[in-house]
C-alpha cells in the first residue's frame, strides 16, 4: 500500500498510533472528563514518541494494546460481550506482537469470571470458552507464522532466556550471561537460548538468594523515581532515545515522576470505591498484571518500559484516576446505557484490519519473495562484501550546501548534518561521520548474504539502482567500529542481474 516506501509505511504507523490514542482518550473523556483524557494523551505521547520513525515491534504492540484497552473498557461499560471478546483477542495479539506483561491475560480471565457470570450456568460456560479461545488463538497464530516464516526454526520468545539469567544472577541484566559465558556467541540462536535457559534454572535452584535479590532489585527500580521506574519514560529524549540522561534535567524528570507517583494511591482508592463496576475491575486487573510481570521483566531490561508497550494504557490511566478522585472523592454513578459505543466499532474495525494485514502481509511476502541467486562476491583484500537492497524512504541523502536551499527529508545539507551530530549525547563517538564528503546516501540495511544489520554509506549514484539488489564492497569506518557502530563505507557496487 505504501509503494515499497519505508517513510510512508512509518508515517502510516504514526497516524494509526495517534488514532488509537485518540479513541482511548475520547472514551475516557466521555466517561470521566477532558482532564483525564488530556493527561492520557500527554503520557501516551511521552511513551510513544521515541518509536516515531522506527520499525520496532513497539509500534504495532502499543497500537494494538490501545485498541484492545478501548474495546475492553467499552465492553465493560456497556456489558456488550462482543467488544469484550474482540478486545481480549486484540490484547493477546498485541502481547504476541510485542512480548511483555503476559500475566495480564490470566487476570483478564479472572476479571471476566467475576463480573460476567459463573460457570454453573450453561450460557456463561459457553461465553467463558469463547473468551479463553480469544486468548489462545493469537498464540496459535504466532506459532504458525513463526513456523511458516522462519528460515531457521527457533524457540518462541527465546530472547527471554537472557533476561531470566540476569534475574537469577541477582538482577545483573540480560547481558551478564555474555560476560560469564562468552562462548555462547558462537552458538546458533536456538541452541544458545536452550543453553542459557539451563544456566538460569541451575542458578535459581542452586543459588536461590541471588534469584530473590534479583526480584527485589526489579521492584526497587519499578517503584523508584529513576529512569528505570514505571514512569521512567516521563523524561526527555536524552533518556528515552539515547539512554544518556543530562544531569541538568535529572531533577525535573524526578519531580514529574514524583507527581505521578503521588497521584497513584488516589487512583487505587478510586478503583476500590468503584470495585463493583466492571471497568474498574478491568483497570485493576491490567495494573496487577503489570506489577506481577515485574518479577519476569525487570525494569533494568525493560528499556524505559518499552517492553510493557502493549499494556501501557493500564499504567498511564492510574494517575489520571487519582486526579478524578481528588476532584470528586466519590464513586462513579454514570448510567452505562447512555455510554456511546461509536468508538468501539471504530476500534474493532481498525484492530481487525491491522491483524488481517499483519498476517496476510507476512505470508504474502514469504510466498512472493524470490530468493536471490548470485555468484560469490569478490572484493579487494581487507574489504567487506555485502548484498543490499535500497528501498524508497529508507535512506538519508547527504548533499552539498549549495545544492538545496534548506534541509528536507530525505535530503540533508552537509552543514545541517554536521551541526545536528553535535547535539547527540557522546557526540565525539560519532564525529567520524562529519568527515563524510557529500554527495552520499546513508541507510540502515541488512546484508542479504547473512542477515547482518549494518549502516551503509553509499555513493548517491547507487540510489538509481532502487529497488534492485546490489553487491557492494567497502571498509568499516574505524572510529565508529571501535565504539560498536558498524558503518560500512561502500567503495564500489554493482547491480545483481536476474541471471546471476
Amino acid at each position: 500500500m505504501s509503494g515499497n516506501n519505508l517513510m510512508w509505511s512509518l508515517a502510516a504507523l504514526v497516524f494509526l498510533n495517534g488514532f488509537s490514542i485518540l479513541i482511548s482518550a475520547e472514551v475516557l473523556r466521555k466517561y470521566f472528563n477532558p482532564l483525564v483524557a488530556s493527561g492520557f494523551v500527554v503520557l501516551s505521547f511521552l511513551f510513544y514518541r521515541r518509536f516515531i520513525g522506527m520499525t520496532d515491534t513497539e509500534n504495532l504492540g502499543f497500537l494494538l494494546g490501545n485498541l484492545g484497552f478501548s474495546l475492553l473498557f467499552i465492553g465493560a461499560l456497556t456489558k456488550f460481550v462482543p467488544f469484550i471478546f474482540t478486545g481480549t483477542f486484540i490484547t493477546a495479539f498485541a502481547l504476541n506482537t510485542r512480548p511483555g506483561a503476559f500475566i495480564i491475560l490470566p487476570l483478564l480471565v479472572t476479571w471476566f469470571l467475576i463480573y460476567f457470570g459463573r460457570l454453573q450456568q450453561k450460557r456463561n460456560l459457553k461465553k467463558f470458552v469463547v473468551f479463553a479461545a480469544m486468548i489462545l488463538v493469537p498464540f496459535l497464530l504466532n506459532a504458525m507464522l513463526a513456523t511458516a516464516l522462519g528460515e531457521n526454526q527457533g524457540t518462541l520468545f527465546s530472547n527471554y532466556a537472557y533476561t531470566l539469567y540476569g534475574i537469577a544472577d541477582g538482577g545483573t541484566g540480560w547481558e551478564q550471561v555474555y560476560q560469564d559465558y562468552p562462548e555462547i556467541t558462537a552458538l546458533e540462536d536456538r541452541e544458545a537460548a536452550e543453553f542459557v535457559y539451563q544456566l538460569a534454572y541451575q542458578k535459581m535452584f542452586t543459588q536461590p538468594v541471588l534469584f530473590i535479590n534479583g526480584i527485589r532489585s526489579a521492584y526497587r527500580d519499578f517503584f523508584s523515581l529513576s529512569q528505570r521506574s514505571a514512569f521512567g519514560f516521563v523524561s526527555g529524549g536524552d533518556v528515552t532515545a539515547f539512554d544518556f540522561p543530562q544531569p541538568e534535567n535529572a531533577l525535573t524528570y524526578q519531580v514529574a515522576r514524583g507527581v505521578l507517583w503521588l497521584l497513584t494511591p488516589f487512583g487505587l482508592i478510586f478503583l476500590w470505591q468503584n470495585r463493583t463496576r466492571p471497568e474498574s475491575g478491568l483497570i485493576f486487573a491490567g495494573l496487577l498484571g503489570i506489577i506481577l510481570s515485574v518479577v519476569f521483566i525487570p525494569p533494568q531490561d525493560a528499556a524505559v518500559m518499552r517492553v510493557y508497550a502493549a499494556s501501557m494504557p493500564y499504567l498511564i490511566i492510574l494517575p489520571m484516576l487519582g486526579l478524578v478522585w481528588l476532584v470528586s472523592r466519590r464513586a462513579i454513578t454514570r448510567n452505562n446505557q447512555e455510554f456511546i459505543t461509536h468508538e468501539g466499532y471504530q476500534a474493532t474495525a481498525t484492530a481487525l484490519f491491522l491483524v488481517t494485514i499483519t498476517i496476510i502481509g507476512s505470508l504474502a511476502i514469504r510466498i512472493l519473495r524470490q530468493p536471490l541467486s548470485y555468484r560469490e562476491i569478490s572484493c579487494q583484500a581487507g574489504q567487506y562484501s555485502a548484498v543490499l537492497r535500497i528501498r524508497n524512504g529508507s535512506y538519508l541523502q547527504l548533499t552539498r550546501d549549495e545544492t538545496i536551499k534548506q534541509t528536507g527529508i530525505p535530503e540533508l545539507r552537509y552543514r545541517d548534518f554536521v551541526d545536528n551530530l553535535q547535539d547527540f549525547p557522546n557526540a565525539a563517538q560519532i564525529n567520524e561521520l562529519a568527515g563524510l564528503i557529500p554527495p552520499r546516501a546513508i541507510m540502515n540495511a541488512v546484508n542479504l548474504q547473512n542477515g547482518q544489520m549494518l549502516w551503509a554509506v553509499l555513493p548517491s549514484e547507487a540510489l538509481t539502482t532502487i529497488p534492485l539488489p546490489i553487491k557492494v564492497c567497502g571498509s568499516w569506518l574505524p572510529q565508529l567500529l571501535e565504539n560498536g557502530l558498524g558503518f560500512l563505507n561502500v567503495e564500489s557496487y554493482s547491480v545483481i542481474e536476474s541471471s546471476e
Side-chain angles (χ1 to χ4, degrees):
M1 290 186 293
S2 65
N4 287 327
N5 190 304
L6 180 61
M7 285 182 62
W8 283 111
S9 299
L10 294 174
L13 276 174
V14 174
F15 171 80
L16 289 169
N17 267 284
F19 182 67
S20 73
I21 293 171
L22 177 63
I23 290 178
S24 297
E26 184 65 5
V27 171
L28 297 177
R29 183 191 69 81
K30 291 180 176 179
Y31 188 61
F32 296 110
N33 56 52
L35 181 61
V36 173
S38 300
F40 184 88
V41 170
V42 170
L43 291 177
S44 295
F45 171 73
L46 288 175
F47 175 80
Y48 175 68
R49 62 180 174 163
R50 70 186 125 153
F51 306 117
I52 295 174
M54 305 291 286
T55 56
D56 298 327
T57 55
E58 284 80 5
N59 250 304
L60 188 57
F62 184 66
L63 167 56
L64 292 173
N66 256 310
L67 294 173
F69 168 75
S70 297
L71 284 165
L72 284 167
F73 194 84
I74 296 172
L77 285 168
T78 60
K79 295 183 172 58
F80 187 54
V81 175
F83 281 161
I84 295 175
F85 289 161
T86 308
T88 302
F89 173 81
I90 297 302
T91 299
F93 197 91
L95 285 167
N96 277 272
T97 301
R98 201 319 158 202
F102 285 108
I103 294 181
I104 282 180
L105 297 177
L107 289 174
L108 285 179
V109 174
T110 305
W111 166 76
F112 185 78
L113 290 175
I114 291 173
Y115 289 96
F116 293 94
R118 298 179 179 177
L119 294 182
Q120 285 80 358
Q121 301 177 21
K122 186 176 181 180
R123 182 179 177 184
N124 288 335
L125 179 59
K126 290 181 179 178
K127 288 182 181 179
F128 172 75
V129 171
V130 175
F131 187 88
M134 293 299 99
I135 292 177
L136 293 175
V137 168
F139 285 88
L140 294 175
L141 289 172
N142 187 31
M144 290 168 59
L145 282 173
T147 301
L149 302 177
E151 294 284 353
N152 298 312
Q153 298 303 318
T155 304
L156 283 178
F157 313 123
S158 58
N159 287 341
Y160 183 68
Y162 304 91
T163 295
L164 185 61
Y165 181 88
I167 299 171
D169 196 49
T172 52
W174 67 271
E175 295 174 312
Q176 183 61 41
V177 69
Y178 289 106
Q179 298 181 28
D180 295 346
Y181 299 90
E183 63 271 19
I184 65 174
T185 56
L187 302 177
E188 294 291 334
D189 289 346
R190 181 172 184 172
E191 187 179 0
E194 292 175 351
F195 178 61
V196 175
Y197 269 124
Q198 292 176 3
L199 293 173
Y201 294 143
Q202 183 179 9
K203 265 189 177 294
M204 290 166 62
F205 289 112
T206 59
Q207 297 176 284
V209 174
L210 279 179
F211 179 57
I212 294 172
N213 287 339
I215 296 174
R216 185 172 58 187
S217 173
Y219 279 107
R220 184 174 61 245
D221 287 339
F222 186 82
F223 290 107
S224 71
L225 296 178
S226 73
Q227 65 194 65
R228 291 181 178 177
S229 72
F231 298 113
F233 60 89
V234 180
S235 54
D238 52 338
V239 172
T240 57
F242 301 109
D243 194 23
F244 190 80
Q246 301 295 318
E248 62 271 20
N249 298 330
L251 180 60
T252 302
Y253 299 156
Q254 290 177 356
V255 169
R257 296 166 194 153
V259 170
L260 294 175
W261 278 121
L262 287 174
L263 290 172
T264 295
F266 300 114
L268 292 172
I269 294 173
F270 174 89
L271 292 177
W272 175 254
Q273 285 187 341
N274 294 276
R275 61 189 179 278
T276 59
R277 304 182 71 89
E279 61 272 18
S280 293
L282 170 68
I283 295 172
F284 182 78
L287 181 66
L288 184 60
I290 291 174
I291 293 174
L292 293 178
S293 295
V294 172
V295 175
F296 306 98
I297 315 171
Q300 180 176 358
D301 294 339
V304 198
M305 294 298 288
R306 68 184 297 167
V307 178
Y308 291 85
S311 52
M312 192 52 59
Y314 298 95
L315 178 64
I316 287 174
I317 195 175
L318 190 60
M320 300 303 103
L321 296 182
L323 276 178
V324 172
W325 187 87
L326 287 174
V327 172
S328 64
R329 299 200 181 187
R330 58 186 174 83
I332 290 290
T333 57
R334 190 183 299 271
N335 184 351
N336 290 345
Q337 299 304 317
E338 297 176 357
F339 193 84
I340 299 174
T341 58
H342 179 65
E343 287 77 14
Y345 294 111
Q346 288 181 328
T348 299
T350 304
L352 294 181
F353 169 74
L354 286 169
V355 170
T356 301
I357 63 171
T358 298
I359 296 173
I360 295 178
S362 300
L363 291 174
I365 291 173
R366 174 66 174 176
I367 293 170
L368 299 176
R369 184 181 67 181
Q370 297 179 350
L372 289 174
S373 177
Y374 44 82
R375 294 189 293 269
E376 184 178 352
I377 300 175
S378 135
C379 295
Q380 296 179 9
Q383 286 188 323
Y384 178 85
S385 65
V387 174
L388 311 177
R389 191 192 296 269
I390 308 172
R391 295 287 190 183
N392 285 320
S394 65
Y395 59 85
L396 293 175
Q397 190 170 1
L398 187 60
T399 66
R400 297 185 181 91
D401 291 346
E402 63 273 13
T403 305
I404 56 175
K405 292 183 178 180
Q406 63 181 18
T407 290
I409 302 299
E411 293 183 314
L412 299 176
R413 296 176 76 247
Y414 175 72
R415 179 47 52 193
D416 293 335
F417 174 72
V418 173
D419 290 344
N420 286 328
L421 288 178
Q422 307 311 311
D423 293 333
F424 277 73
N426 295 325
Q429 295 184 5
I430 58 173
N431 194 50
E432 190 174 8
L433 291 174
L436 297 178
I437 300 175
R440 305 288 280 177
I442 305 173
M443 62 176 286
N444 193 220
V446 177
N447 183 351
L448 300 178
Q449 286 180 298
N450 54 23
Q452 180 185 2
M453 298 288 295
L454 55 90
W455 287 92
V457 181
L458 300 143
S460 289
E461 295 79 14
L463 299 178
T464 60
T465 66
I466 296 174
L468 299 173
I470 57 176
K471 298 181 287 190
V472 303
C473 296
S475 305
W476 299 104
L477 296 179
Q479 179 189 350
L480 290 162
L481 191 62
E482 287 179 5
N483 293 315
L485 300 171
F487 278 78
L488 182 67
N489 186 34
V490 174
E491 295 155 4
S492 63
Y493 68 91
S494 62
V495 175
I496 297 178
E497 303 294 342
S498 57
S499 60
E500 291 189 43

